[in-house]
Amino acid sequence: MTIAFDEQTGTFHLRAGDCSYVMQLHKGSRLAHRYFGARLRRDSMAQPIDETFSLEVLPQEYPTYGISDFRVPAIEVQAHDGSTATDLRYAGHRILPGKPSLPGLPATYVEQETEADTLEIDLLDPLTEVRVTLRYTAFAEHSVIARSVSVTNGGTESVRLLRVLSAALDLSDADYEYRQLSGAWARERTVVQGPVTGGGHWIESRRGASSHQQNPCFALARPGTDERRGEVLALALVYSGNFLMGAEVDQFRTLRVAAGINPFDFAWHLEAGETFHAPEALLAYSGKGWGGLSRSWHRLFRTRLARGSHRDLPRPILINNWEATYFSFDRETLLDLGSSAAELGVELFVLDDGWFGKRDDDGSSLGDWTVDLRKLPGGLANIARELGARGMRFGLWFEPEMVSPDSDLYRAHPDWCLHVPGRERTLGRNQLVLDFSREDVCAEIVRRLTDILQSAPIRYVKWDMNRHMTEVGSALLPAHRQRETAHRYMLGLYRVMEEVTRRFPDILFESCSGGGGRFDPGMLYYMPQVWTSDNTDAIARLDIQFGTSQLYPASAMGAHVSAVPNHQVGRVTPLATRGLVAMMGNLGYELDVRKLSQEERDMMKEQIAFYKRVRPLVQFGDLYRLRDPANARDAAWMYVNAEKTEALVTYVRILAEANAPQVVLRLDGLDPQRDYRLERIVWEQADTAADGRQAWIAGGDELMSAGLVVPRLVGDYDACAWRLEDMR
Ligand code: DGJ
């Protein structure tokens, strides 16, 4: 049992992995937050809550607005008479084995009831009879608490929800530093951090997607926390739309942390008897620094958020034709590319944008999901079969949520996109957003996708989404429900993805949004991997992948080797370095392999063979970040398998330095009692100081304490790697 309730003191104590989460009923009526941190032994906390009681000082679990707490509220309900004061009082609780699912929303799950327990606490506003149910799941094996909230209108009049956050908690001091993942297109998820100061610190999205700009996660660490040491509390929202999260420092220097759907431009009309479900928020604790936190998120996301037949399977090495051909291809070009890549050991061919309608550029055809027979005579089945004969699986790109004004779909249904009557429809990449808040639109898109996916042996789908929402309005919603559109869109999208992935359980789905613009826990529930960024430059990828790895596991992270000079930044990096950096995640290639020299082809073949050897280790092992590219000099990381019998260490030097100091990497995560055989990875043409294949033996203790000496590398952007194997 992970949850204890002490009747006498009214204390709820949740124990999840290494952490405890404690709440207490204050005077039997208000739900106070007592503690979130390292696991505690005793069930109840003897020290009383500050008896100079005022809601302004009471540490709370789900604060409301309008009754004397002036801090950020978790909920704001507008009653039928227009007033917004809300007062939530304890009305009962239940402790259930396992974890119930969240209707229509993505969420973490259990496979056995013994993996977790769930506490449901009912709070009631006596005047409006609005009932709020707070749900807390404590996982036995993960240091994570999953929270969600349902609001039911138990009264006789309708109410309007102006804000329903998924989680809030009050910490007793504000001595923390925040960390968030911020960026832009082609610069996604770089680590941004700083002290939490007066007023507080908030991040949000108002774009109708979780966004490139801010990832829906936020962490608070005690000053001095590093990769290996220190206490961190972290939040992640299992949601792909507009969100708000952050922390407020109040006048007494306590800290209120909160996360949920962004109240900006949101409202939800709730008729008597109706229930609204807010998305799941995850709260994680690490007593082992940022590295410990990341490994904890990785294990949870990999095993109890991602689903489906591919969850535990090694992900195929793919070639994607996008940067090789963009829109200019025909059947012969694709077959040539595919055959050439198959010879090198690539396992999956992904046909990207441009195969449907009359799409020769990004100006038309989204929504017309029928194959362009000019480019692909014989259709998709023919090319899939031809590639199959060469040992290659076939995958296909879609952008199901979009419509081009120049498309048959738009000409037939101009009201099927998000729009505001009478207002100009703003184009983004020449396209409009389909109104997925409408069931008819969703049903038609499911039908069109199903037709295509049934028409050929398609084994993989890349699900793209390339613009944000404007004129957020739906033709089918009444005026008082227009502010529901963005969230209803997400519910529609989740329904569509649930249906399509259910109909095609054997297809591997990869989500994408102009690169990594919707790399969030919500999408991972439907699609176990994501295209990390449109920036494929190996050096730029160091920052992007290090940032992404804060939260997301390697198995979720698509990483491709592309041509040089790189198409986004113009940089020229060695093929060996491009390969090693892409091997931090799911390795793929995105270049015209026919244009490579024989030497490069030989190296690519070696890379692929090597990745196949280390693939389970990378995709399902534990990540240890050793040197952070934020230092602008170098980066290093390693993966270790669960048994600690195998590891892969990679070092990338950014710019060469004259008379540079020796680099020694103190490894992590190994078994100090084991002896490891180290093999330095040298591909043809790889690091220029290569002195042939080398192997030697060292103790795990030695490698973690004395360290691993990095050979002197020559030239910019050089890299090297070692494979470690237990001697026993
Ligand atoms: C954006 C994606 O991130 C790219 O990989 C590519 O699929 C293009 N869209 C195609 O339009």
Side-chain angles (χ1 to χ4, degrees):
M1 197 46 139
T2 58
I3 302 178
F5 177 61
D6 178 19
E7 285 232 37
Q8 228 182 350
T9 56
T11 306
F12 300 98
H13 192 142
L14 288 65
R15 292 186 177 88
D18 297 334
C19 74
S20 278
Y21 191 100
V22 185
M23 294 169 275
Q24 191 173 5
L25 295 172
H26 185 254
K27 301 199 162 77
S29 159
R30 298 203 187 267
L31 188 61
H33 177 78
R34 292 304 308 266
Y35 175 76
F36 179 34
R39 194 176 170 108
L40 303 179
R41 231 172 358 90
R42 292 169 57 87
D43 279 352
S44 60
M45 297 179 72
Q47 301 172 66
I49 300 175
D50 188 353
E51 280 305 326
T52 56
F53 171 68
S54 141
L55 279 184
E56 238 188 324
V57 293
L58 184 73
Q60 294 174 68
E61 272 299 311
Y62 205 65
T64 62
Y65 170 73
I67 52 161
S68 86
D69 180 357
F70 299 98
R71 294 170 288 177
V72 170
I75 186 166
E76 191 182 4
V77 182
Q78 186 167 35
H80 198 63
D81 62 6
S83 65
T84 49
T86 309
D87 189 2
L88 293 175
R89 306 292 182 121
Y90 171 75
H93 76 268
R94 299 162 291 285
I95 297 174
L96 319 164
K99 183 175 193 291
S101 58
L102 210 50
L105 285 162
T108 52
Y109 59 90
V110 293
E111 288 189 337
Q112 311 286 335
E113 280 198 340
T114 48
E115 291 177 22
D117 297 295
T118 298
L119 165 68
E120 292 186 342
I121 303 179
D122 294 326
L123 306 174
L124 188 71
D125 178 46
L127 187 67
T128 57
E129 293 183 78
V130 164
R131 194 180 73 240
V132 172
T133 301
L134 305 181
R135 210 166 289 108
Y136 299 81
T137 298
F139 292 93
E141 301 293 334
H142 300 273
S143 304
V144 176
I145 306 282
R147 284 185 64 171
S148 65
V149 176
S150 307
V151 184
T152 300
N153 182 357
T156 50
E157 307 278 14
S158 63
V159 298
R160 194 169 160 81
L161 307 178
L162 301 177
R163 165 191 292 254
V164 188
L165 299 187
S166 300
L169 67 148
D170 288 336
L171 304 176
S172 55
D173 70 84
D175 191 17
Y176 290 96
E177 288 186 347
Y178 72 84
R179 186 176 270 200
Q180 68 197 39
L181 304 177
S182 304
W185 173 77
R187 288 191 278 111
E188 295 92 336
R189 289 174 301 286
T190 7
V191 172
V192 174
Q193 59 187 38
V196 182
T197 50
H201 189 87
W202 295 90
I203 53 167
E204 61 185 310
S205 167
R206 293 180 295 271
R207 294 170 171 269
S210 49
S211 86
H212 302 86
Q213 287 72 13
Q214 303 294 348
N215 202 259
C217 62
F218 184 76
L220 293 164
R222 290 297 189 189
T225 295
D226 62 21
E227 275 295 306
R228 301 175 193 223
R229 279 169 298 268
E231 282 203 316
V232 195
L233 307 179
L235 270 165
L237 194 66
V238 189
Y239 190 58
S240 315
N242 294 337
F243 71 91
L244 172 73
M245 58 171 65
E248 178 180 40
V249 184
D250 79 342
Q251 55 186 335
F252 303 112
R253 279 185 231 109
T254 63
L255 199 61
R256 173 160 293 171
V257 186
I261 293 181
N262 199 341
F264 176 84
D265 204 34
F266 164 87
W268 197 272
H269 182 85
L270 211 56
E271 289 291 347
E274 284 182 349
T275 298
F276 175 82
H277 300 283
E280 175 164 284
L282 300 170
L283 281 81
Y285 164 80
S286 163
K288 295 195 178 112
W290 296 110
L293 177 70
S294 296
R295 287 185 289 280
S296 177
W297 283 133
H298 295 174
R299 275 194 292 269
L300 181 75
F301 286 9
R302 211 171 47 219
T303 61
R304 291 296 179 265
L305 177 61
R307 300 176 300 166
S309 59
H310 289 276
R311 186 189 73 181
D312 304 328
L313 292 179
R315 306 294 162 70
I317 300 169
L318 63 82
I319 178 136
N320 179 304
N321 74 307
W322 180 241
E323 284 198 19
T325 67
Y326 295 103
F327 292 103
S328 328
F329 57 83
D330 57 18
R331 179 177 172 278
E332 272 56 52
T333 316
L334 299 180
L335 285 179
D336 271 7
L337 263 175
S339 315
S340 180
E343 286 164 17
L344 305 177
V346 175
E347 298 159 318
L348 168 73
F349 185 91
V350 179
L351 172 52
D352 210 280
D353 197 354
W355 58 267
F356 52 94
K358 298 190 176 59
R359 190 156 162 99
D360 295 329
D361 54 36
D362 61 15
S364 83
S365 303
L366 293 171
D368 295 346
W369 300 111
T370 48
V371 66
D372 182 352
L373 294 172
R374 294 172 309 159
K375 290 182 185 169
L376 301 170
L380 294 172
N382 171 277
I383 192 159
R385 267 199 301 273
E386 290 281 341
L387 287 166
R390 294 160 172 82
M392 199 63 122
R393 284 172 254 168
F394 181 66
L396 199 58
W397 178 97
F398 285 96
E399 195 174 357
E401 299 155 70
M402 297 290 149
V403 64
S404 308
D406 180 9
S407 67
D408 293 339
L409 178 66
Y410 188 73
R411 281 181 283 272
H413 300 285
D415 61 334
W416 274 20
C417 63
L418 295 178
H419 67 282
V420 174
R423 217 173 262 296
E424 188 181 324
R425 300 173 183 196
T426 307
L427 296 179
R429 205 197 188 198
N430 305 309
Q431 63 202 48
L432 294 163
V433 183
L434 281 174
D435 182 358
F436 267 39
S437 76
R438 292 175 60 145
E439 291 201 6
D440 52 352
V441 173
C442 292
E444 178 59 19
I445 293 303
V446 169
R447 195 188 65 71
R448 290 182 184 210
L449 294 192
T450 302
D451 281 354
I452 289 285
L453 295 178
Q454 272 172 348
S455 72
I458 294 166
R459 308 282 296 276
Y460 161 105
V461 163
K462 178 176 173 186
W463 184 296
D464 205 348
M465 192 284 276
N466 283 305
R467 63 156 290 182
H468 291 142
M469 292 180 186
T470 55
E471 294 85 39
V472 186
S474 172
L476 290 194
L477 290 176
H480 66 280
R481 287 197 183 271
Q482 286 296 322
R483 287 180 80 151
E484 298 175 11
T485 308
H487 181 59
R488 283 186 182 274
Y489 177 100
M490 296 316 307
L491 296 177
L493 171 64
Y494 290 148
R495 257 196 329 270
V496 168
M497 292 193 297
E498 182 71 31
E499 184 57 26
V500 175
T501 53
R502 192 190 60 76
R503 286 187 191 187
F504 299 95
D506 296 329
I507 291 182
L508 170 61
F509 286 85
E510 174 158 337
S511 78
C512 170
S513 175
R518 214 166 47 184
F519 201 141
D520 60 57
M523 294 303 287
L524 272 188
Y525 181 70
Y526 303 94
M527 305 188 177
Q529 59 187 58
V530 191
W531 178 222
T532 307
S533 175
D534 277 347
N535 190 341
T536 56
D537 171 64
I539 300 304
R541 272 296 181 120
L542 292 174
D543 283 324
I544 296 170
Q545 293 176 185
F546 262 62
T548 304
S549 78
Q550 297 289 321
L551 194 64
Y552 303 99
S555 59
M557 201 157 64
H560 298 176
V561 171
S562 61
V564 288
N566 172 266
H567 292 196
Q568 293 78 40
V569 301
R571 196 171 0 241
V572 176
T573 50
L575 180 56
T577 303
R578 279 175 275 154
L580 287 175
V581 173
M583 287 184 199
M584 189 175 174
N586 293 332
L587 175 69
Y589 289 82
E590 191 165 332
L591 74 176
D592 192 340
V593 281
R594 300 167 309 172
K595 293 188 182 146
L596 296 178
S597 67
Q598 191 52 48
E599 273 179 357
E600 288 171 317
R601 284 177 65 81
D602 289 345
M603 184 189 289
M604 188 171 149
K605 200 170 178 175
E606 280 194 73
Q607 286 183 350
I608 290 169
F610 177 72
Y611 188 70
K612 287 178 182 169
R613 253 171 96 199
V614 296
R615 173 161 52 184
L617 173 60
V618 170
Q619 295 180 355
F620 306 110
D622 281 326
L623 169 72
Y624 294 85
R625 290 175 296 250
L626 304 177
R627 283 172 92 100
D628 189 331
N631 72 27
R633 223 175 278 131
D634 55 10
W637 63 94
M638 62 188 288
Y639 286 103
V640 184
N641 68 349
E643 300 76 28
K644 297 188 183 294
T645 53
E646 242 193 286
L648 171 69
V649 181
T650 306
Y651 175 83
V652 178
R653 209 261 324 283
I654 302 178
L655 291 181
E657 206 184 344
N659 196 19
Q662 178 76 63
V663 175
V664 179
L665 298 175
R666 286 183 60 215
L667 303 190
D668 205 350
L670 299 174
D671 180 347
Q673 304 302 331
R674 289 179 192 268
D675 285 336
Y676 294 91
R677 178 179 179 275
L678 282 92
E679 181 196 346
R680 172 142 164 230
I681 307 309
V682 180
W683 296 316
E684 291 304 312
Q685 237 209 21
D687 57 81
T688 28
D691 40 9
R693 221 166 272 273
Q694 292 180 357
W696 69 100
I697 290 164
D701 54 350
E702 175 192 336
L703 291 165
M704 292 194 289
S705 298
L708 171 63
V709 177
V710 175
R712 289 188 187 278
L713 302 175
V714 180
D716 293 341
Y717 318 128
D718 208 349
C720 54
W722 299 260
R723 186 169 168 275
L724 278 65
E725 205 172 6
D726 174 37
M727 288 297 294
R728 271 179 250 168

